Amino acid sequence: FTEPWRFSVIEKSALPGLAEVTEVALGEIFKSGGGGDDDRKFTAKRQKLARRLQESGAVMAVSYTRSADDPVLALEDYAATCCAIQHIQLSAWGHGVVCQWSTSKVWQQPVLTEHFAMADGEALVGLLFLGYPVASVEGRRFKSVAEISRWLR
């Protein structure tokens, strides 16, 4: 039982600083060719991330400590951290709080690792954007059980 998950909660007042660092990370991706060479794509991505941060009440960066010497344990630790994220999402939604998990390559940039003061051997799994809905979530389409399940007999 390793409890590999780590949580960095960024409160609303600290989100402008995260927005600045996010813009730097996004710029690094596009400069290196990882985002394509389309300025419109860069602008759209920048605006989307800025809007998401502006609309959030808080953001939670979720990371885990990697087991460098045991690849099976490292995979188990990653999976356990993903399960922790799912529990947080379900709990948030149960309390009327929107919780969107993002695993964008933007979050994998070294400038974000530094921003979250992550320790050596710690890897970011993703960011959770938390807040109250700005629009109704009723009628939102989710895939049916039939679309995502296979029954083998």
Side-chain angles (χ1 to χ4, degrees):
F1 194 65
T2 60
E3 296 185 1
W5 42 80
R6 301 292 180 267
F7 306 99
S8 299
V9 181
I10 302 93
E11 296 179 358
K12 182 78 172 173
S13 62
L15 291 180
L18 178 57
E20 289 176 20
V21 174
T22 298
E23 183 137 352
V24 170
L26 187 59
E28 289 174 0
I29 290 171
F30 274 83
K31 274 191 264 181
S32 70
D37 57 359
D38 187 347
D39 286 339
R40 290 174 303 177
K41 187 175 178 182
F42 172 77
T43 300
K45 183 74 169 175
R46 191 177 92 226
Q47 289 172 343
K48 177 183 175 183
L49 290 173
R51 186 185 74 250
R52 188 175 287 161
L53 286 165
Q54 185 177 17
E55 292 174 350
S56 294
V59 172
M60 184 182 299
V62 184
S63 57
Y64 75 109
T65 55
R66 292 180 285 194
S67 300
D69 57 338
D70 186 343
V72 172
L73 183 57
L75 182 60
E76 289 176 1
D77 288 344
Y78 176 80
T81 303
C82 291
C83 289
I85 289 171
Q86 184 64 30
H87 288 302
I88 291 167
Q89 287 185 295
L90 291 171
S91 180
W93 278 97
H95 287 90
V97 176
V98 175
C99 182
Q100 193 265 329
W101 179 7
S102 174
T103 58
S104 172
K105 63 182 165 184
V106 172
W107 316 133
Q108 302 305 318
Q109 298 304 302
V111 68
L112 270 295
T113 301
E114 293 169 19
H115 185 74
F116 297 130
M118 291 170 45
D120 287 340
E122 193 174 336
L124 192 64
V125 176
L127 268 61
L128 301 178
F129 294 88
L130 300 148
Y132 291 101
V134 294
S136 174
V137 293
E138 295 298 319
R140 188 169 169 191
R141 187 187 176 288
F142 293 97
K143 291 182 180 178
S144 71
V145 172
E147 291 177 286
I148 61 170
S149 301
R150 250 187 308 262
W151 293 82
L152 307 175
R153 297 185 168 113

